[in-house]
Structure formats: structure tokens, C-alpha cells
Amino acid sequence: MSTVISGLPPFRLPIVVEARGVRVRIRPITRADRERVLEGLRQISNETSYHRFFTPRFTPNESQLRYLTEVDGERHVALGAVDAGNPAEPGIGAARYVRLEEDPTVAEAALLVIDRYQRHGVGALLMAALSRHAHDHGVRAFRAYVMQDNDEFLDYLRSLGDARERVHAGVVEIDLPVYTCAEDFPDSVAHERLRWAWQAVNAALETGA
């Protein structure tokens, strides 16, 4: 059940948020999204696949597809973004977290935006929505695993502040705080570029968009 945190509106999906040139609907992923997920994966480049799945062409088997689309909404949470300006509402990105069994206040998180929708702010909106859901449900830190050569995404994660890193065989394990609102970010130019996404998500929750 959603709760109000620090006076923020309850986290309820779906919401519609304007990114840069894209009208984005964010909602839970369900088993009904199997074909939408498969189609999105077909559209990602080898580079995007490598950085997200550590393989240049990820094609999920039945077990992996169930993992991606059949989640319990508590330990394993998956949010999808669709292009709300397209009548077919194609999938354009996804974000998920899975709580660690040994410490449920920490969750392994992952983010994917298909190539043609990258650099529009879709990933930032998904991260903001995932953070709101996580914090409202007791998660206080995200853990991500990123290829060491994925400099751009690592720079983005580090810009979120207070990152703790460990490197294992070319993979960076990075822990990040879970932010609920724009005001949580420390003052910096990098954070100014991120605050809009948290502001947009909370504004959409406030209005019930």
C-alpha cells in the first residue's frame, strides 16, 4: 500500500509525464506485456544490450521472460514506460528493483531505454518513479552492476551523489541513495539537470495525471 512520505503525494500508477519531445506513460509491467517487452528488446542496439545484459544480443528464454514480466510488486518491482503519444503505446523503457534477501532496505536496480528514445529524459523519469516507489516501500539504497567501460552511465549514476563503488572483474558494483524529491539532491550543476524528473513525477502524482 502506498503511503505519503514527507508530505509528498501517494505513489499511484499510471502517470503521464512530458519528457523532451515524448509523452511518457509510466505504469507497472505485467504478464500482459510479454510481446511489448520482446518487441522493445528487438529494437535495442548491440551496445545497449551489452551494457544492460552483459551480452551483445539478449533474447530471453521463457524463464527469463517470466522473470521480466511476472513480478510480485513487493520484493520485485518493475515499471514500464510507453510512448503515450503513439496510439499503439509501444514500450520505450523499463526500470526494476529486487530487494536483497539479506537486507530488504537495499535493492538491486536496473534501467533500460531503447535507443531511439535515449537522451529524451525517459531514463531519468523512470529512475524518479522507481525511487518514489522504493522509498515508499522501505528501500533506502539501490545497488547497480555496470560494465566498467560504460562511462556515460557510470557518470550519470555518480551524479546522483553519495555513491559507493566496488569493482569485480570489469563490473562496477555501485550503491546509491534513494531520493524521493528534487530537494533531496545536494546542490550541484549535475543535480540541477536531474531535479526536473523528480519534480515532474511528483507533480504528476499530485494531479493524478
Side-chain angles (χ1 to χ4, degrees), residues 18-50:
E18 297 293 335
R20 292 186 286 273
V22 187
R23 194 162 185 256
V24 181
R25 189 186 316 280
I26 299 175
R27 59 171 180 75
I29 291 175
T30 71
R31 66 181 62 189
D33 290 308
R34 288 168 58 94
E35 289 305 316
R36 185 177 274 111
V37 167
L38 285 171
E39 180 57 29
L41 291 173
R42 293 186 193 106
Q43 295 182 46
I44 65 175
S45 66
N46 287 356
E47 181 180 10
T48 294
S49 177
Y50 172 72

Side-chain angles (χ1 to χ4, degrees), residues 172-191:
V172 180
E173 178 188 293
I174 183 168
D175 287 354
L176 305 155
V178 173
Y179 295 117
T180 59
C181 59
E183 292 71 25
D184 290 341
F185 289 99
D187 290 328
S188 76
V189 174
H191 295 134

